Amino acid sequence: MKDKVKGLVVGVLLGSLLTGATAFAGTNTKISVVMENVKMMFNGVHSPINRV
């Protein structure tokens, strides 16, 4: 019984550590994207891209 509880606690701690580290790393990241000459096709019809 103690081994199961110990495994559960260790698993929860490792899972929360991994999730927290991923969330922290994702908050400080900026991504710049440049799209040029992109053609989209839906059901065999070319669709223009609306730029904002």
Side-chain angles (χ1 to χ4, degrees):
M1 182 70 180
K2 283 186 176 183
D3 289 338
K4 289 183 180 181
V5 173
K6 190 177 187 181
L8 176 66
V9 170
V10 170
V12 169
L13 287 175
L14 287 176
S16 63
L17 178 68
L18 181 63
T19 304
T22 304
F24 178 73
T27 57
N28 296 328
T29 304
K30 291 185 180 181
I31 299 174
S32 298
V33 177
V34 177
M35 292 177 46
E36 293 182 12
N37 199 17
V38 177
K39 297 178 183 176
M40 299 180 76
M41 182 179 280
F42 295 101
N43 295 329
V45 179
H46 286 283
S47 296
I49 296 177
N50 296 332
R51 296 184 185 251
V52 178

